[in-house]
Amino acid sequence: LPSIVTWVITGLRLTAAWSLAGSVIVEYLASNVGMGYVVAQGQQSVSPDAVMGGILVVSLVAVMIDRALAFVEFRLTPWRSR
């Protein structure tokens, strides 16, 4: 059973990335709140700082989620070589 932890965490990491991307895309296309909306409004008003700021925030959130899950994997699988 412990050997499956790596597979489960890897699945969580992939799923987190896709779900974050999906939520931002949906906000971009059909919402009036959220980071996707901020990027869309910045694009429509020709405001590159809003577009880059929105992309940067989403990227930082994605990296933090990935690093948190990598840390969980590190703590749950001490036998794996790093």
Coordinates of all heavy atoms in Angstrom, one line a residue:
L1 N 0.8 -1.2 0.0 CA 0.0 0.0 0.0 C 0.8 1.3 0.0 O 0.5 2.2 -0.7 CB -1.0 0.0 1.2 CG -2.0 1.1 1.2 CD1 -2.9 0.9 0.0 CD2 -2.8 1.0 2.5
P2 N 2.0 1.3 0.7 CA 2.7 2.6 0.7 C 3.3 2.9 -0.7 O 3.5 4.1 -1.0 CB 3.9 2.3 1.7 CG 3.4 1.3 2.6 CD 2.5 0.4 1.8
S3 N 3.5 1.9 -1.5 CA 4.0 2.2 -2.8 C 3.1 3.0 -3.7 O 3.5 3.6 -4.7 CB 4.5 0.9 -3.5 OG 3.3 0.1 -3.8
I4 N 1.8 3.0 -3.4 CA 0.8 3.7 -4.2 C 0.8 5.2 -3.9 O 0.2 6.0 -4.7 CB -0.6 3.0 -4.1 CG1 -1.4 3.4 -5.3 CG2 -1.2 3.5 -2.8 CD1 -2.7 2.6 -5.4
V5 N 1.4 5.6 -2.8 CA 1.3 7.0 -2.4 C 2.0 7.9 -3.5 O 1.4 8.9 -3.8 CB 2.1 7.2 -1.1 CG1 2.2 8.7 -0.7 CG2 1.3 6.5 0.0
T6 N 3.0 7.4 -4.1 CA 3.7 8.2 -5.1 C 2.8 8.4 -6.3 O 2.7 9.5 -6.9 CB 5.0 7.5 -5.6 OG1 5.8 7.3 -4.5 CG2 5.7 8.3 -6.7
W7 N 2.0 7.4 -6.7 CA 1.1 7.5 -7.8 C 0.0 8.4 -7.5 O -0.5 9.2 -8.3 CB 0.6 6.1 -8.2 CG 1.6 5.3 -8.8 CD1 2.4 4.3 -8.1 CD2 2.1 5.2 -10.1 NE1 3.3 3.7 -8.9 CE2 3.1 4.3 -10.2 CE3 1.8 5.9 -11.2 CZ2 3.8 4.0 -11.3 CZ3 2.5 5.7 -12.4 CH2 3.5 4.7 -12.5
V8 N -0.6 8.4 -6.3 CA -1.7 9.2 -5.9 C -1.2 10.7 -5.8 O -2.0 11.6 -6.4 CB -2.2 8.8 -4.5 CG1 -3.2 9.8 -4.0 CG2 -2.9 7.4 -4.6
I9 N -0.1 11.0 -5.3 CA 0.4 12.3 -5.2 C 0.7 12.9 -6.6 O 0.3 14.0 -6.9 CB 1.6 12.4 -4.3 CG1 1.3 12.0 -2.9 CG2 2.2 13.8 -4.3 CD1 0.4 12.9 -2.1
T10 N 1.2 12.1 -7.5 CA 1.5 12.5 -8.8 C 0.2 12.8 -9.5 O 0.0 13.8 -10.2 CB 2.2 11.4 -9.6 OG1 3.5 11.2 -9.0 CG2 2.5 11.8 -11.0
G11 N -0.8 12.0 -9.3 CA -2.2 12.3 -9.9 C -2.7 13.6 -9.3 O -3.4 14.4 -10.1
L12 N -2.6 13.8 -8.0 CA -3.1 15.1 -7.4 C -2.3 16.3 -8.0 O -3.0 17.3 -8.3 CB -2.9 15.0 -5.9 CG -3.8 14.2 -5.1 CD1 -3.4 14.1 -3.7 CD2 -5.2 14.7 -5.3
R13 N -1.0 16.2 -8.2 CA -0.3 17.3 -8.8 C -0.7 17.6 -10.2 O -0.9 18.8 -10.6 CB 1.2 17.0 -8.8 CG 1.8 17.0 -7.4 CD 3.2 16.5 -7.3 NE 4.1 17.5 -7.8 CZ 5.4 17.4 -7.9 NH1 6.0 16.3 -7.5 NH2 6.2 18.3 -8.4
L14 N -0.9 16.6 -11.0 CA -1.4 16.8 -12.4 C -2.8 17.3 -12.4 O -3.2 18.3 -13.1 CB -1.4 15.5 -13.2 CG 0.0 15.0 -13.5 CD1 0.0 13.6 -14.1 CD2 0.7 15.9 -14.4
T15 N -3.7 16.8 -11.5 CA -5.1 17.3 -11.5 C -5.2 18.7 -11.0 O -6.0 19.5 -11.5 CB -5.9 16.3 -10.6 OG1 -5.8 15.0 -11.0 CG2 -7.3 16.7 -10.5
A16 N -4.3 19.1 -10.0 CA -4.3 20.4 -9.5 C -4.0 21.4 -10.6 O -4.6 22.5 -10.8 CB -3.4 20.6 -8.3
A17 N -3.0 21.1 -11.4 CA -2.5 21.9 -12.5 C -3.7 22.1 -13.5 O -4.0 23.2 -14.0 CB -1.3 21.4 -13.2
W18 N -4.3 21.0 -13.9 CA -5.3 21.1 -14.9 C -6.6 21.8 -14.4 O -7.2 22.5 -15.1 CB -5.7 19.7 -15.4 CG -4.7 19.2 -16.4 CD1 -3.7 18.3 -16.2 CD2 -4.6 19.6 -17.8 NE1 -3.0 18.1 -17.4 CE2 -3.5 18.9 -18.3 CE3 -5.2 20.5 -18.6 CZ2 -3.1 19.1 -19.7 CZ3 -4.8 20.7 -19.9 CH2 -3.8 19.9 -20.4
S19 N -6.9 21.6 -13.2 CA -8.1 22.2 -12.6 C -7.9 23.7 -12.5 O -8.8 24.5 -12.7 CB -8.5 21.6 -11.3 OG -7.5 21.8 -10.3
L20 N -6.7 24.1 -12.1 CA -6.4 25.6 -12.0 C -6.5 26.2 -13.4 O -7.1 27.3 -13.6 CB -5.0 25.8 -11.4 CG -4.6 27.3 -11.2 CD1 -5.6 28.0 -10.2 CD2 -3.2 27.4 -10.7
A21 N -5.9 25.6 -14.4 CA -5.9 26.1 -15.7 C -7.4 26.1 -16.2 O -7.8 27.1 -16.9 CB -5.1 25.2 -16.7
G22 N -8.2 25.1 -16.0 CA -9.6 25.1 -16.4 C -10.4 26.2 -15.7 O -11.2 26.9 -16.4
S23 N -10.2 26.4 -14.5 CA -10.9 27.5 -13.8 C -10.6 28.9 -14.3 O -11.4 29.7 -14.5 CB -10.7 27.4 -12.3 OG -9.4 27.7 -11.9
V24 N -9.3 29.1 -14.6 CA -8.9 30.4 -15.2 C -9.5 30.6 -16.6 O -9.9 31.7 -16.9 CB -7.4 30.6 -15.2 CG1 -6.9 31.8 -15.9 CG2 -6.8 30.6 -13.7
I25 N -9.5 29.5 -17.4 CA -10.1 29.6 -18.7 C -11.6 29.9 -18.6 O -12.1 30.8 -19.4 CB -9.8 28.3 -19.5 CG1 -8.3 28.3 -19.8 CG2 -10.6 28.3 -20.8 CD1 -7.8 26.9 -20.4
V26 N -12.3 29.3 -17.7 CA -13.7 29.5 -17.6 C -13.9 30.9 -17.1 O -14.8 31.6 -17.6 CB -14.3 28.5 -16.7 CG1 -15.7 28.9 -16.3 CG2 -14.3 27.1 -17.3
E27 N -13.1 31.4 -16.2 CA -13.3 32.8 -15.7 C -13.0 33.8 -16.9 O -13.7 34.8 -17.0 CB -12.3 33.1 -14.6 CG -12.7 32.4 -13.3 CD -11.6 32.6 -12.2 OE1 -10.6 33.1 -12.5 OE2 -11.9 32.1 -11.1
Y28 N -12.0 33.4 -17.7 CA -11.7 34.3 -18.8 C -12.8 34.4 -19.8 O -13.1 35.4 -20.4 CB -10.4 33.7 -19.5 CG -9.9 34.5 -20.7 CD1 -9.1 35.6 -20.5 CD2 -10.2 34.2 -22.0 CE1 -8.6 36.3 -21.6 CE2 -9.8 34.9 -23.1 CZ -9.0 36.0 -22.9 OH -8.5 36.7 -23.9
L29 N -13.5 33.3 -20.1 CA -14.5 33.2 -21.1 C -15.9 33.6 -20.6 O -16.7 34.3 -21.4 CB -14.6 31.8 -21.7 CG -13.4 31.3 -22.4 CD1 -13.6 29.8 -22.8 CD2 -13.1 32.1 -23.6
A30 N -16.3 33.3 -19.4 CA -17.7 33.5 -19.0 C -17.9 33.9 -17.6 O -18.8 33.5 -16.9 CB -18.4 32.2 -19.2
S31 N -17.1 34.9 -17.1 CA -17.3 35.3 -15.7 C -17.0 36.8 -15.6 O -16.5 37.4 -16.5 CB -16.3 34.5 -14.8 OG -16.5 34.9 -13.5
N32 N -17.5 37.3 -14.5 CA -17.2 38.7 -14.2 C -16.4 38.9 -12.9 O -16.4 40.0 -12.3 CB -18.4 39.6 -14.2 CG -19.4 39.1 -13.2 OD1 -19.2 38.1 -12.5 ND2 -20.6 39.8 -13.2
V33 N -15.8 37.8 -12.4 CA -14.9 37.8 -11.3 C -13.8 36.8 -11.5 O -13.9 35.9 -12.3 CB -15.7 37.4 -10.0 CG1 -16.7 38.5 -9.6 CG2 -16.3 36.1 -10.1
G34 N -12.7 37.0 -10.8 CA -11.6 36.1 -10.8 C -10.4 36.5 -11.7 O -10.5 37.6 -12.3
M35 N -9.4 35.7 -11.6 CA -8.1 36.1 -12.3 C -8.3 36.1 -13.9 O -7.7 36.9 -14.6 CB -7.0 35.3 -11.9 CG -6.5 35.5 -10.5 SD -6.3 37.2 -10.0 CE -5.1 37.7 -11.1
G36 N -9.0 35.1 -14.4 CA -9.3 35.1 -15.8 C -10.0 36.3 -16.3 O -9.7 36.9 -17.3
Y37 N -10.9 36.8 -15.5 CA -11.6 38.1 -15.8 C -10.7 39.3 -15.8 O -10.8 40.1 -16.6 CB -12.8 38.3 -14.8 CG -13.5 39.6 -15.0 CD1 -14.4 39.7 -16.1 CD2 -13.4 40.6 -14.2 CE1 -15.1 40.9 -16.3 CE2 -14.1 41.8 -14.3 CZ -14.9 41.9 -15.4 OH -15.6 43.1 -15.6
V38 N -9.8 39.3 -14.8 CA -8.8 40.4 -14.7 C -7.9 40.4 -16.0 O -7.7 41.5 -16.6 CB -7.9 40.2 -13.4 CG1 -6.8 41.2 -13.5 CG2 -8.8 40.5 -12.2
V39 N -7.5 39.2 -16.4 CA -6.7 39.1 -17.6 C -7.5 39.6 -18.8 O -7.0 40.3 -19.7 CB -6.1 37.7 -17.8 CG1 -5.5 37.5 -19.1 CG2 -5.2 37.3 -16.7
A40 N -8.7 39.1 -18.9 CA -9.6 39.5 -20.1 C -9.8 41.0 -20.1 O -9.7 41.7 -21.2 CB -10.9 38.8 -20.0
Q41 N -10.1 41.6 -18.9 CA -10.3 43.1 -18.9 C -9.1 43.8 -19.2 O -9.1 44.9 -19.9 CB -10.9 43.5 -17.5 CG -12.3 43.1 -17.3 CD -13.2 43.6 -18.3 OE1 -13.2 44.8 -18.6 NE2 -14.1 42.8 -18.8
G42 N -7.9 43.3 -18.7 CA -6.7 44.0 -19.1 C -6.4 43.9 -20.5 O -5.8 44.9 -21.1
Q43 N -6.7 42.8 -21.2 CA -6.5 42.6 -22.6 C -7.4 43.6 -23.4 O -7.0 44.2 -24.3 CB -6.8 41.2 -23.0 CG -6.4 40.9 -24.4 CD -6.7 39.4 -24.7 OE1 -7.4 38.7 -24.0 NE2 -6.0 38.9 -25.7
Q44 N -8.7 43.7 -23.0 CA -9.6 44.6 -23.7 C -9.3 46.0 -23.5 O -9.5 46.8 -24.4 CB -11.0 44.3 -23.2 CG -11.6 43.0 -23.7 CD -13.0 42.7 -23.1 OE1 -13.5 43.5 -22.4 NE2 -13.5 41.6 -23.5
S45 N -8.7 46.4 -22.4 CA -8.4 47.8 -22.1 C -7.0 48.1 -22.5 O -6.5 49.2 -22.1 CB -8.7 48.2 -20.7 OG -7.9 47.5 -19.8
V46 N -6.3 47.2 -23.1 CA -4.9 47.3 -23.5 C -4.0 47.8 -22.3 O -3.4 48.8 -22.3 CB -4.7 48.3 -24.7 CG1 -3.3 48.3 -25.2 CG2 -5.7 48.0 -25.8
S47 N -4.1 47.0 -21.3 CA -3.4 47.2 -20.0 C -2.5 46.0 -19.8 O -2.8 45.0 -19.1 CB -4.4 47.4 -18.9 OG -3.7 47.6 -17.7
P48 N -1.3 46.1 -20.3 CA -0.4 44.9 -20.2 C 0.0 44.6 -18.7 O 0.3 43.5 -18.4 CB 0.9 45.3 -21.0 CG 0.8 46.8 -21.2 CD -0.7 47.1 -21.1
D49 N 0.0 45.6 -17.9 CA 0.3 45.3 -16.5 C -0.7 44.5 -15.8 O -0.4 43.6 -15.0 CB 0.6 46.6 -15.7 CG -0.6 47.6 -15.8 OD1 -1.4 47.5 -16.7 OD2 -0.7 48.5 -14.9
A50 N -2.0 44.7 -16.1 CA -3.1 43.8 -15.6 C -3.0 42.4 -16.1 O -3.1 41.4 -15.4 CB -4.4 44.4 -15.9
V51 N -2.7 42.3 -17.4 CA -2.5 41.0 -18.0 C -1.4 40.2 -17.4 O -1.5 39.1 -17.0 CB -2.4 41.1 -19.6 CG1 -2.1 39.7 -20.2 CG2 -3.6 41.7 -20.2
M52 N -0.2 40.8 -17.4 CA 1.0 40.2 -16.8 C 0.8 39.9 -15.3 O 1.3 38.9 -14.8 CB 2.2 41.0 -17.1 CG 2.6 41.1 -18.6 SD 2.7 39.5 -19.3 CE 4.2 38.8 -18.5
G53 N 0.2 40.8 -14.6 CA -0.1 40.6 -13.2 C -1.0 39.4 -12.9 O -0.7 38.6 -12.0
G54 N -2.0 39.3 -13.7 CA -2.9 38.2 -13.6 C -2.2 36.9 -13.9 O -2.4 35.9 -13.2
I55 N -1.5 36.9 -14.9 CA -0.7 35.7 -15.3 C 0.3 35.3 -14.2 O 0.5 34.1 -13.9 CB 0.0 35.8 -16.7 CG1 -1.1 35.9 -17.8 CG2 1.0 34.7 -17.0 CD1 -0.6 36.3 -19.1
L56 N 1.0 36.3 -13.7 CA 1.9 36.1 -12.6 C 1.3 35.5 -11.4 O 1.8 34.6 -10.8 CB 2.7 37.4 -12.3 CG 3.7 37.3 -11.2 CD1 4.9 36.4 -11.7 CD2 4.2 38.7 -10.8
V57 N 0.1 36.1 -11.0 CA -0.5 35.5 -9.8 C -1.0 34.1 -10.0 O -0.8 33.2 -9.1 CB -1.8 36.4 -9.4 CG1 -2.7 35.8 -8.4 CG2 -1.3 37.8 -8.9
V58 N -1.5 33.8 -11.1 CA -2.0 32.4 -11.4 C -0.8 31.5 -11.4 O -0.8 30.4 -10.9 CB -2.7 32.3 -12.8 CG1 -3.0 30.9 -13.2 CG2 -4.1 33.1 -12.6
S59 N 0.3 31.9 -12.0 CA 1.6 31.1 -12.0 C 2.1 30.9 -10.6 O 2.5 29.7 -10.3 CB 2.6 31.8 -12.9 OG 2.2 31.9 -14.2
L60 N 2.1 31.9 -9.8 CA 2.6 31.7 -8.4 C 1.7 30.8 -7.6 O 2.2 29.9 -6.9 CB 2.7 33.1 -7.7 CG 3.8 34.0 -8.2 CD1 3.7 35.3 -7.5 CD2 5.2 33.4 -8.0
V61 N 0.4 30.9 -7.8 CA -0.5 29.9 -7.1 C -0.2 28.5 -7.6 O -0.2 27.6 -6.8 CB -2.0 30.4 -7.4 CG1 -2.9 29.3 -6.9 CG2 -2.3 31.7 -6.7
A62 N 0.0 28.3 -8.9 CA 0.2 27.0 -9.4 C 1.5 26.4 -8.9 O 1.6 25.3 -8.5 CB 0.3 27.0 -10.9
V63 N 2.5 27.2 -8.8 CA 3.8 26.8 -8.2 C 3.7 26.4 -6.7 O 4.2 25.4 -6.3 CB 4.9 27.8 -8.5 CG1 6.2 27.5 -7.7 CG2 5.3 27.9 -9.9
M64 N 2.9 27.3 -6.0 CA 2.8 27.0 -4.6 C 2.0 25.7 -4.3 O 2.3 24.9 -3.5 CB 2.0 28.2 -3.9 CG 2.9 29.4 -3.8 SD 2.2 30.8 -2.8 CE 0.5 30.7 -3.0
I65 N 1.0 25.5 -5.1 CA 0.2 24.2 -5.0 C 1.1 23.0 -5.3 O 1.1 22.0 -4.6 CB -1.0 24.2 -5.9 CG1 -2.1 25.2 -5.4 CG2 -1.7 22.8 -6.0 CD1 -3.2 25.5 -6.3
D66 N 1.9 23.1 -6.4 CA 2.8 22.0 -6.8 C 3.8 21.8 -5.7 O 4.1 20.6 -5.4 CB 3.4 22.4 -8.1 CG 4.3 21.2 -8.6 OD1 3.7 20.1 -8.9 OD2 5.5 21.4 -8.7
R67 N 4.4 22.8 -5.2 CA 5.5 22.6 -4.2 C 4.8 22.1 -2.9 O 5.5 21.3 -2.2 CB 6.1 24.0 -3.9 CG 7.0 24.5 -5.0 CD 8.2 23.7 -5.3 NE 7.9 22.6 -6.2 CZ 8.6 21.5 -6.3 NH1 9.5 21.1 -5.5 NH2 8.2 20.6 -7.2
A68 N 3.6 22.5 -2.5 CA 3.0 21.9 -1.4 C 2.7 20.4 -1.5 O 3.0 19.6 -0.6 CB 1.7 22.6 -1.1
L69 N 2.3 20.0 -2.7 CA 2.0 18.6 -2.9 C 3.4 17.8 -3.0 O 3.4 16.7 -2.6 CB 1.2 18.4 -4.2 CG -0.2 18.8 -4.1 CD1 -0.9 18.8 -5.4 CD2 -1.0 17.9 -3.1
A70 N 4.4 18.4 -3.5 CA 5.7 17.8 -3.6 C 6.2 17.6 -2.1 O 6.8 16.6 -1.8 CB 6.7 18.6 -4.4
F71 N 6.0 18.6 -1.3 CA 6.4 18.4 0.1 C 5.6 17.3 0.8 O 6.2 16.5 1.6 CB 6.2 19.8 0.9 CG 6.5 19.7 2.3 CD1 7.8 19.6 2.7 CD2 5.5 19.7 3.3 CE1 8.2 19.6 4.1 CE2 5.9 19.6 4.6 CZ 7.2 19.5 5.0
V72 N 4.3 17.2 0.5 CA 3.5 16.1 1.1 C 4.1 14.8 0.6 O 4.2 13.9 1.4 CB 2.0 16.3 0.7 CG1 1.2 15.0 1.0 CG2 1.4 17.5 1.4
E73 N 4.4 14.7 -0.6 CA 5.0 13.5 -1.2 C 6.3 13.2 -0.5 O 6.6 12.0 -0.1 CB 5.2 13.6 -2.7 CG 5.8 12.4 -3.3 CD 6.0 12.5 -4.8 OE1 6.0 13.6 -5.3 OE2 6.2 11.5 -5.4
F74 N 7.1 14.2 -0.3 CA 8.4 14.0 0.4 C 8.2 13.5 1.8 O 9.0 12.6 2.3 CB 9.2 15.3 0.4 CG 10.4 15.3 1.2 CD1 11.6 14.7 0.7 CD2 10.5 15.9 2.5 CE1 12.8 14.7 1.4 CE2 11.7 15.9 3.2 CZ 12.8 15.3 2.7
R75 N 7.2 14.0 2.5 CA 7.0 13.6 3.9 C 6.4 12.2 4.0 O 6.6 11.4 4.9 CB 6.1 14.6 4.6 CG 6.6 15.9 4.8 CD 7.8 16.0 5.7 NE 7.3 15.8 7.0 CZ 8.1 15.6 8.1 NH1 9.4 15.5 7.9 NH2 7.6 15.4 9.2
L76 N 5.6 11.8 3.0 CA 4.9 10.5 3.0 C 5.7 9.4 2.4 O 5.4 8.2 2.6 CB 3.6 10.6 2.3 CG 2.5 11.4 2.9 CD1 1.2 11.5 2.1 CD2 2.1 10.9 4.3
T77 N 6.8 9.7 1.7 CA 7.6 8.6 1.1 C 9.1 8.9 1.4 O 9.9 9.2 0.6 CB 7.5 8.7 -0.4 OG1 7.8 10.0 -0.9 CG2 6.0 8.3 -0.8
P78 N 9.4 8.6 2.7 CA 10.8 8.8 3.1 C 11.8 7.8 2.5 O 13.0 8.1 2.5 CB 10.8 8.7 4.6 CG 9.6 7.9 4.9 CD 8.6 8.2 3.8
W79 N 11.3 6.7 2.0 CA 12.2 5.7 1.5 C 12.7 6.0 0.0 O 13.6 5.4 -0.4 CB 11.5 4.3 1.5 CG 10.3 4.3 0.6 CD1 10.2 4.0 -0.7 CD2 8.9 4.6 1.0 NE1 8.9 4.2 -1.2 CE2 8.1 4.5 -0.1 CE3 8.4 5.0 2.3 CZ2 6.7 4.7 0.0 CZ3 7.0 5.2 2.3 CH2 6.2 5.0 1.2
R80 N 12.0 6.9 -0.6 CA 12.4 7.2 -2.0 C 13.7 8.1 -2.0 O 13.9 8.9 -1.2 CB 11.3 8.1 -2.7 CG 10.1 7.2 -3.0 CD 9.2 7.9 -3.9 NE 9.8 8.4 -5.1 CZ 9.4 9.4 -5.8 NH1 8.5 10.2 -5.4 NH2 10.1 9.8 -6.9
S81 N 14.5 7.8 -3.0 CA 15.8 8.6 -3.2 C 15.4 10.0 -3.8 O 14.5 10.1 -4.6 CB 16.8 7.9 -4.1 OG 16.2 7.7 -5.4
R82 N 16.1 11.0 -3.4 CA 15.7 12.4 -3.8 C 16.7 12.8 -4.9 O 17.8 12.9 -4.9 CB 15.7 13.3 -2.7 CG 14.8 12.9 -1.5 CD 13.4 13.1 -1.8 NE 12.6 12.7 -0.7 CZ 11.6 11.8 -0.8 NH1 11.3 11.3 -1.9 NH2 10.9 11.5 0.3

